[in-house]
């Protein structure tokens, strides 16, 4: 398929993982859109219902605020519940994954991953802060193991932020987090 690039064998990958990993352009497996500035001309010409319908987030969306992005470190928010409609502002990007191919917590982990210089070079960017343009994210290559493996790799990812990092050696959640980060690094090196 033309979405699927040549498979790459990650260095030091777990024996449980597939023997090769396909890379997909993020724009081919997720819809990427911008939030809206509520004081913009566009917003002023729309009703509240139209704004919520066209710019509101949905369950399993991942949202990144570009304002806080500086050196490759970024915070992504996974939308788990939509009882209240949230409309991200214009400095945010909304990434809506095709959940038949991309597990949302895996996407969140991938987006929070600090890309290597090789990734920045391949995208022809002059610095990491330019990575969060819509165009750059659409071209970003995502290592995509089978869905079951994505779930296995990232199932406890959300819990890692609440864990005491001084007790890493005894915590299986931290071990899984480390394994996921190592997997993502190895795919690109």
């Amino acid at each position: 398929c033309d979405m699927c690039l040549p498979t790459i064998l990650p260095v030091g990958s777990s024996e449980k993982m597939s023997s090769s990993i396909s890379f997909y352009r993020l724009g081919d497996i997720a819809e990427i859109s911008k939030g809206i500035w509520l004081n913009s001309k566009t917003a002023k010409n729309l009703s509240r219902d139209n704004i919520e319908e066209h710019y509101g987030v949905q369950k399993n969306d991942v949202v990144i605020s570009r304002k806080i992005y500086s050196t490759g470190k970024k915070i992504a928010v996974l939308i788990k519940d939509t009882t209240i409609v949230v409309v991200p502002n214009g400095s945010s990007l909304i990434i809506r994954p095709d959940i038949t191919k991309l597990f949302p917590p895996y996407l969140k982990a991938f987006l929070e991953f600090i890309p290597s210089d090789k990734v920045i070079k391949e995208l022809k960017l002059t610095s990491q802060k330019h990575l969060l343009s819509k165009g750059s994210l659409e071209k970003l290559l995502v290592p995509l193991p089978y869905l079951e493996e994505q779930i296995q790799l990232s199932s406890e990812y959300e819990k890692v932020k609440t864990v005491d990092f001084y007790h890493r050696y005894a915590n299986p959640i931290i071990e899984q987090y480390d394994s996921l980060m190592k997997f993502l690094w190895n795919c690109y090196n």
Side-chain angles (χ1 to χ4, degrees):
C1 69
D2 40 348
M3 285 192 323
C4 185
L5 298 169
T7 56
I8 296 174
L9 180 64
V11 178
S13 62
S14 164
E15 290 180 81
K16 293 178 184 174
M17 300 300 295
S18 298
S19 61
S20 63
I21 300 296
S22 295
F23 279 70
Y24 288 79
R25 289 177 190 86
L26 184 56
D28 292 335
I29 52 175
E31 179 186 322
I32 303 172
S33 56
K34 293 180 182 176
I36 188 170
W37 295 111
L38 293 178
N39 58 358
S40 68
K41 287 181 182 177
T42 305
K44 288 178 180 174
N45 292 330
L46 297 172
S47 69
R48 179 182 177 143
D49 287 343
N50 282 340
I51 290 172
E52 289 182 353
E53 182 182 338
H54 291 95
Y55 296 94
V57 296
Q58 296 177 9
K59 185 176 179 180
N60 293 322
D61 285 356
V62 177
V63 180
I64 295 178
S65 174
R66 295 185 287 175
K67 273 187 173 177
I68 58 173
Y69 180 78
S70 58
T71 59
K73 181 73 174 169
K74 49 203 171 298
I75 297 171
V77 177
L78 174 62
I79 306 300
K80 295 180 182 176
D81 183 7
T82 53
T83 51
I84 298 171
V85 178
V86 175
V87 178
N89 69 25
S91 68
S92 300
L93 286 173
I94 305 159
I95 299 107
R96 185 163 297 152
D98 175 349
I99 58 171
T100 63
K101 296 176 183 162
L102 186 55
F103 184 54
Y106 178 82
L107 173 62
K108 175 182 170 25
F110 174 75
L111 290 170
E112 290 186 339
F113 157 71
I114 299 173
S116 66
D117 292 338
K118 182 179 178 184
V119 176
I120 301 301
K121 189 176 179 183
E122 284 172 357
L123 289 170
K124 299 185 171 90
L125 301 176
T126 52
S127 81
Q128 289 185 342
K129 70 180 180 180
H130 297 133
L131 180 63
L132 278 191
S133 71
K134 184 174 179 254
S136 293
L137 270 186
E138 284 175 342
K139 291 186 283 186
L140 190 61
L141 298 179
V142 181
L144 215 58
Y146 291 114
L147 203 55
E148 298 79 26
E149 293 171 319
Q150 292 175 45
I151 293 167
Q152 176 194 338
L153 277 167
S154 56
S155 62
E156 301 291 333
Y157 180 76
E158 290 296 315
K159 292 182 184 175
V160 79
K161 306 269 175 20
T162 63
V163 169
D164 179 358
F165 276 79
Y166 292 108
H167 296 95
R168 299 175 72 88
Y169 63 90
N171 197 307
I173 297 171
I174 292 288
E175 288 172 18
Q176 187 172 10
Y177 173 81
D178 287 345
S179 173
L180 175 60
M181 293 300 104
K182 185 177 178 184
F183 167 76
L184 290 171
W185 272 113
N186 286 340
C187 282
Y188 280 102
N189 293 329

